[in-house]
Amino acid sequence: MTAASVAAARLGLVTLALVLTGCASMRTSEQTRWQALADGATTRLGAPPAHVTLVSGSLGRYHCETRVLQLGADGNARWLLAHELGHHLSRSCGGTLDSEMTANAWAVRVLQAWGDTEAVAVRTTVLHLVYLKRLRGDRQAIGHNYCAEAADILRRYPERGDPRNPGDETCRAELAGR
């Protein structure tokens, strides 16, 4: 091996170490940010803390028995964190439509604990549920019926109107019959 190739190999290893360390630091920083947001909500709402772990993707899951919340930070992670904290705050572990609706109602309260107005929190929640219906169609996660969940939020807040854009027909029947 020549001196130049040894130097190039060392440079490559140093670069790789920096990249890996940087990624790990970014991941730790992101983890810390989401944990702090969760801690702020649980403190304001008078609940014990939940431990946030980041996972790849855009899905989340709450584990009641360990109070561990898995957060996929690739999508609308802020709303997802509010929803999964809703499971924690309500002690509803998912799997049924009722537990999902309860978690959504708590998500509105979590968003408010983070500073959103009630109107913004309701709008954010309904629009995200409608978005999930458009995105996933009939392939909804176990226990979910996104249109029914959106209608439930609007029933809980009857003074809030339908936040969909004009012409958006997603969940038309469910939101009309709320």
Side-chain angles (χ1 to χ4, degrees):
M1 219 175 198
T2 67
S5 63
V6 168
R10 283 187 182 151
L11 180 60
L13 288 174
V14 168
T15 302
L16 178 62
L18 288 173
V19 167
L20 291 175
T21 303
C23 288
S25 296
M26 282 177 49
R27 189 80 168 168
T28 300
S29 170
E30 190 177 2
Q31 170 83 31
T32 300
R33 182 171 64 98
W34 292 116
Q35 185 65 59
L37 203 54
D39 291 344
T42 55
T43 298
R44 283 185 196 92
L45 295 169
H51 180 72
V52 178
T53 60
L54 295 181
V55 295
S56 63
S58 61
L59 300 178
R61 183 166 182 213
Y62 177 66
H63 301 273
C64 281
E65 61 283 351
T66 59
R67 294 195 324 232
V68 170
L69 187 156
Q70 293 177 313
L71 178 67
D74 293 345
N76 186 349
R78 184 174 184 268
W79 184 86
L80 180 61
L81 179 59
H83 173 81
E84 295 304 335
L85 282 170
H87 284 295
H88 172 67
L89 293 162
S90 66
R91 294 172 187 83
S92 65
C93 295
T96 69
L97 183 57
D98 284 343
S99 69
E100 296 305 331
M101 288 179 176
T102 301
N104 292 332
W106 274 97
V108 170
R109 293 185 62 192
V110 169
L111 292 169
Q112 289 176 280
W114 291 335
D116 288 2
T117 64
E118 178 184 280
V120 168
V122 168
R123 182 180 200 289
T124 298
T125 299
V126 171
L127 288 178
H128 188 71
L129 292 164
V130 168
Y131 164 77
L132 290 173
K133 173 60 177 175
R134 269 195 315 273
L135 179 69
R136 297 185 180 151
D138 291 332
R139 297 180 333 270
Q140 299 179 65
I142 293 173
H144 285 278
N145 177 332
Y146 301 122
C147 292
E149 292 173 61
D152 178 67
I153 290 297
L154 291 176
R155 269 192 302 278
R156 291 173 190 252
Y157 297 91
E159 66 283 2
R160 304 292 168 212
D162 182 348
R164 292 174 302 157
N165 290 324
D168 185 347
E169 294 293 312
T170 311
C171 302
R172 179 177 45 88
E174 293 85 352
L175 296 182
R178 64 183 151 106

